[in-house]
Amino acid sequence: MAEARDDREAKEDAMRLSEAEIAVHWKEESYFYPNARFIGQANLTDPSVTERFAEKNFPECFREYADLLTWDKYWTTTLDTSKAPFWKWFVGGRLNVAYNCVDRHLGKYGNKAAIVYVPEPEDEAGQTITYNELYHRVNEVAAVLRDFAGLRTGDRVTIHMPMVPELPITMLACARLGVIHSVVFGGFSGEACGARIVDSGSRVLISMDGYYRSGKVIDHKANADIAVAKAESEGQKVEKVLVWRRFPDRSASPTPMVEGRDFVVNDLLKPHRGAIVPPVSMPAEAPLFLMYTSGSTGKPKGCQHSTGGYLSYVAGTSRFIQDIHPTDVYWCMADIGWITGHSYIVYGPLALAATTVMYEGVPTYPDAGRPWRIAVRLGVNIFHTSPTAIRMLRKVGPDEPKKYPLNFKCMTTVGEPIEPEAWRWYYENVGKGQAAVTDTWWQTETGGFVCSTKPALDPMKPGSAGPPMPGIYPIIYDEEGKEIPAGSGKAGNICIRNPWPGIMQTIWGDPDRFVKNYYGKYNRNPTSQDWRDWPYFAGDGATWAPDGYIRILGRVDDVINVAGHRLGTKELESACLTVPEIAEAAVVPIVDAERGRVPEVYVSLKPGMSADGVPEKVSKAIETTIGKIARPRVVRIVPDMPKTRSGKIMRRVLASISNQMDYGDITTLSNPEVVEQIRVSVQGKEKVATKAGPDDIKRFGETT
Ligand code: WTA
């Protein structure tokens, strides 16, 4: 009896109301077709690609991507599965990423713009950095990193910088030396940066004094001090902090430099003018970078990406899906501090010798016409952004794009599901009904796109990411590991049956967590060396339509995708617990018209504590430990958390209440009376009639 009850409780506890479960299931839309002018110039127009990348040609099909690169030594084994699931791609090969993204283009494209930088203030001159200039700047920074900072191949370095050209230059300088960079999103707090310094074991932090955000200069140097203090409190000494200057002639920050520890990079560069640092020839499987991302536990995980596999994959997908040619002016409005920026601002476009545009600031600053003015002035013809940015630009300036002669041949969205309505606005107004639109589904872990329409070959269907990418073989499983076939109308957990070159290699310092997290759920045999036994569990819910188009519903775990940024609910909860008054905290995702999902926080207080100012303190604590992006919409103080008899917090119940849904059966709770009390305080006296509101919302796993 007791055992049966425990079992049931454990099951209930596992039932978090995840993002996927609160997803809105819009109806299937009809197709849109790319125009002939686009098809006429596209990189990928040969339908045989499906055959070429079919399973019978796996893994050799990926030679096509690897052959986009220049190898110092060509590889001998395409895929080594002997240490599954630690896949090794292009084994025996050697190459350098900086060489591939810069040096090899000098002959043909030396005088072509590699990076065009647009500062936030509209009256400040931008920078156009040619491939020749990029080459020199990368070499000089590499000289500083090697000769001044003492960084060597295999060392890790943390980079906490805003969107300025010095960021990709620093990354490429690391890549030139085989130094593993770990770029932390500039908007993350100093503490969050410190935690990542510790995990990666970085002795050097590269930062910047300040940058513009909505017209104000942010003091970013202050974050470096907090990061170093946090790292040192956890035993990781930071020997040197290299600080870039935002303004050439003065510091942008009032925070003083620490004697003997902090150095201005712009000064360090002076003795290295004209330095040439030979690119270090790296094995294909050497790590190129770490990118920390949130998972189900409180600690962010360092996704380790490889040199040869990763670069091949981002070059291949940039070419096939974003249709990048060396003559294109490409603008991805993401931040380099996320995987999108790594793969599709820096490495993919530069590997293909494109011109990549970087914008420092907020898209709606000083008004909603800003992105369109930038695009017209620079002649941008490929545009890449997130549904959140689209929703925001549509809300504040629905008619702005019409005022500008935008001329995009193709446009991409990434990071979240896009509502058909937002998609149509994007297509009609921004793309002028001419641009091919791709909705790309992927993750920090996947390195590059894994699902998207091929723009000249597959019609677009608003609201659906589309078919799998060439060489990616997905499958949707139910909780028990039974396949949910395409066309069944049911949602399940999307997995990818095979490895691909862009997949992460491991979680830095925690290989067991890597195996458990991504393969534990559906692995068929833990000792197998056959890739077929190792489906990759993506952590997303999805449905697969009869036409082969996949629709991603959202996360099925404790991760919330806020405005396209991934946050772990456990991270937010531990931040709440740093407030002395708080006894318990639960964070749940709620649907938000603009930001997709936002976190809502429930807290209970320790006995005798006053609620005075608690919501503000909780918000502040989240901002300090994680960053402003994680700020909750509401902090609700409750008398007690709904709990199972074994004392576990039932987040599912709280999430239902916050999302105006019925909370379902609560008879097994130890304190069911508190649930109705919470419900009334959030939803009001009137009971919500339906299970999940309007007809078009269905519960996860239900037939659509
Ligand atoms: C979500 C961002 C729907 C998904 C590249 C995934 C998407 C998480 C899409 C990864 C899309 C990404 N449609 N959902 N086109 N693209 N997602 O690691 O839940 O920051 O698991 O990588 O974003 O977020 P991450």
Side-chain angles (χ1 to χ4, degrees):
M1 251 327 261
E3 223 168 78
R5 202 184 65 202
D6 279 357
D7 220 40
R8 191 165 154 199
E9 284 188 359
K11 246 195 177 143
E12 273 170 359
D13 184 54
M15 276 179 64
R16 305 159 294 247
L17 196 74
S18 66
E19 272 196 7
E21 290 174 285
I22 55 173
V24 177
H25 291 240
W26 43 77
K27 66 176 179 37
E28 290 286 315
E29 297 280 321
S30 41
Y31 296 127
F32 288 70
Y33 294 88
N35 68 28
R37 204 165 37 144
F38 176 77
I39 297 171
Q41 58 79 62
N43 284 324
L44 180 60
T45 50
D46 182 353
S48 79
V49 65
T50 310
E51 173 74 11
R52 296 199 311 270
F53 283 81
E55 204 168 327
K56 64 175 193 308
N57 296 322
F58 178 85
E60 297 311 317
C61 52
F62 283 112
R63 180 181 295 267
E64 211 173 298
Y65 285 3
D67 283 349
L68 295 171
L69 307 183
T70 305
W71 295 80
D72 302 335
K73 185 168 168 281
Y74 206 66
W75 36 276
T76 45
T77 309
T78 310
L79 172 64
D80 174 358
T81 64
S82 61
K83 295 215 169 58
F86 301 93
W87 318 112
K88 286 188 178 157
W89 282 89
F90 310 127
V91 183
R94 297 189 85 97
L95 75 166
N96 181 277
V97 167
Y99 178 87
N100 271 276
C101 291
V102 187
D103 305 32
R104 68 170 176 153
H105 304 317
L106 296 181
K108 210 160 163 198
Y109 303 111
N111 289 325
K112 199 180 92 77
I115 296 174
V116 179
Y117 166 61
V118 182
E120 192 188 70
E122 237 170 337
D123 54 4
E124 185 180 327
Q127 287 182 48
T128 300
I129 302 169
T130 62
Y131 274 96
N132 275 331
E133 192 185 340
L134 183 62
Y135 172 76
H136 287 295
R137 292 183 68 176
V138 168
N139 270 284
E140 289 165 3
V141 175
V144 168
L145 298 184
R146 186 190 62 186
D147 301 342
F148 178 78
L151 290 168
R152 297 283 174 266
T153 302
D155 287 350
R156 280 82 54 214
V157 58
T158 298
I159 304 177
H160 193 203
M161 286 177 68
M163 283 290 284
V164 290
E166 288 80 2
L167 173 54
I169 289 170
T170 306
M171 290 161 70
L172 289 164
C174 291
R176 196 166 190 85
L177 300 170
V179 168
I180 304 167
H181 60 69
S182 165
V183 177
V184 176
F185 169 57
F188 273 138
S189 67
E191 277 195 28
C193 176
R196 287 155 176 79
I197 291 175
V198 175
D199 192 82
S200 61
S202 303
R203 299 182 278 115
V204 174
L205 168 66
I206 306 179
S207 186
M208 187 157 213
D209 52 7
Y211 61 99
Y212 280 99
R213 198 90 199 137
S214 289
K216 284 202 221 51
V217 178
I218 307 278
D219 176 6
H220 191 60
K221 166 65 172 65
N223 291 324
D225 291 0
I226 297 169
V228 171
K230 161 97 179 162
E232 298 201 348
S233 76
E234 293 186 16
Q236 177 64 42
K237 177 140 181 63
V238 178
E239 291 159 15
K240 290 191 171 80
V241 180
L242 309 186
V243 184
W244 282 98
R245 280 223 158 134
R246 171 62 179 77
F247 305 115
D249 50 346
R250 65 196 148 98
S251 171
S253 158
T255 306
M257 300 288 276
V258 175
E259 183 75 32
R261 185 198 76 184
D262 299 351
F263 304 89
V264 175
V265 187
N266 308 59
D267 295 339
L268 297 177
L269 282 166
K270 286 175 192 154
H272 296 283
R273 289 276 171 250
I276 299 293
V277 175
V280 177
S281 189
M282 300 296 292
E285 335 72 276
L288 175 65
F289 68 85
L290 308 180
M291 166 61 62
Y292 282 85
T293 191
S294 296
S296 308
T297 68
K299 198 169 162 242
K301 43 195 182 194
C303 294
Q304 177 185 318
H305 280 286
S306 73
T307 299
Y310 171 81
L311 195 67
S312 302
Y313 198 70
V314 296
T317 50
S318 293
R319 191 177 142 74
F320 277 2
I321 303 302
Q322 315 210 71
D323 197 50
I324 294 180
H325 302 60
T327 43
D328 289 324
V329 180
Y330 164 91
W331 182 19
C332 169
M333 219 168 57
D335 194 291
I336 292 176
W338 304 103
I339 191 71
T340 300
H342 277 49
S343 300
Y344 299 115
I345 296 177
V346 182
Y347 291 119
L350 294 179
L352 298 179
T355 297
T356 187
V357 175
M358 287 180 67
Y359 171 54
E360 175 181 34
V362 174
T364 48
Y365 183 87
D367 57 69
R370 186 68 193 277
W372 319 132
R373 287 197 290 282
I374 293 172
V376 169
R377 185 167 58 83
L378 300 180
V380 174
N381 66 340
I382 306 176
F383 187 62
H384 187 51
T385 193
S386 67
T388 286
I390 295 168
R391 289 189 292 258
M392 189 172 69
L393 289 164
R394 174 172 175 241
K395 186 172 170 218
V396 291
D399 299 320
E400 283 302 306
K402 289 203 192 95
K403 300 181 189 161
Y404 300 92
L406 297 167
N407 190 15
F408 299 133
K409 66 168 180 170
C410 56
M411 309 194 300
T412 313
T413 74
V414 63
E416 313 150 74
I418 181 163
E419 303 75 5
E421 211 181 273
W423 190 98
R424 272 191 288 271
W425 178 82
Y426 188 48
Y427 178 76
E428 280 154 19
N429 293 273
V430 181
K432 314 272 184 204
Q434 298 292 314
V437 178
T438 50
D439 175 350
T440 57
W441 170 64
W442 59 297
Q443 313 177 299
T444 304
E445 292 87 340
T446 70
F449 308 146
V450 282
C451 199
S452 165
T453 47
K454 298 175 277 303
L457 287 169
D458 306 321
M460 311 159 230
K461 188 164 77 171
S464 289
M469 287 286 301
I472 301 289
Y473 321 124
I475 188 161
I476 298 179
Y477 284 126
D478 68 10
E479 279 299 307
E480 274 70 50
K482 234 176 87 220
E483 179 176 354
I484 297 179
S488 69
K490 278 179 102 182
N493 298 321
I494 187 161
C495 296
I496 299 172
R497 289 192 291 114
N498 62 305
W500 62 98
I503 193 173
M504 68 187 283
Q505 298 180 294
T506 185
I507 294 176
W508 180 259
D510 203 347
D512 294 342
R513 185 174 169 202
F514 169 72
V515 178
K516 186 162 166 264
N517 199 93
Y518 301 105
Y519 299 97
K521 202 170 169 78
Y522 296 117
N523 169 247
R524 279 181 275 275
N525 168 8
T527 58
S528 172
Q529 297 185 344
D530 184 347
W531 60 262
R532 291 166 194 82
D533 290 324
W534 295 93
Y536 164 82
F537 171 63
D540 276 326
T543 61
W544 205 339
D547 60 4
Y549 280 46
I550 290 169
R551 177 179 303 174
I552 302 296
L553 301 174
R555 304 288 309 188
V556 296
D557 53 8
D558 288 337
V559 172
I560 313 184
N561 196 332
V562 182
H565 303 323
R566 215 165 123 175
L567 299 171
T569 52
K570 294 260 164 63
E571 282 165 71
L572 276 99
E573 287 167 4
S574 44
C576 298
L577 295 177
T578 62
V579 177
E581 286 92 336
I582 307 298
E584 288 181 306
V587 173
V588 298
I590 63 167
V591 175
D592 182 86
E594 266 168 69
R595 289 150 63 81
R597 303 282 184 271
V598 287
E600 200 162 282
V601 172
Y602 285 86
V603 291
S604 65
L605 305 183
K606 288 178 192 157
M609 288 289 184
S610 149
D612 246 15
V614 163
E616 295 73 30
K617 285 187 201 165
V618 168
S619 284
K620 188 79 201 146
I622 290 177
E623 209 179 292
T624 317
T625 12
I626 303 169
K628 282 201 172 77
I629 46 158
R631 266 194 302 213
R633 181 153 82 176
V634 194
V635 178
R636 300 186 189 278
I637 302 173
V638 293
D640 194 9
M641 295 286 174
K643 281 186 194 145
T644 62
R645 292 198 186 111
S646 54
K648 296 205 174 116
I649 300 175
M650 289 286 282
R651 290 174 181 77
R652 176 174 66 83
V653 170
L654 297 172
S656 308
I657 293 174
S658 283
N659 285 289
Q660 304 295 321
M661 291 157 86
D662 179 7
Y663 48 71
D665 181 16
I666 52 164
T667 49
T668 55
L669 295 198
S670 68
N671 55 353
E673 66 298 337
V674 82
V675 174
E676 187 54 21
Q677 217 177 321
I678 298 173
R679 190 198 69 73
V680 171
S681 76
V682 177
Q683 299 181 345
K685 278 217 153 49
E686 204 80 347
K687 206 151 174 129
V688 182
T690 56
K691 223 174 164 185
D695 280 354
D696 56 350
I697 301 181
K698 292 244 162 55
R699 293 293 288 267
F700 190 65
E702 230 166 61
T703 309
T704 53

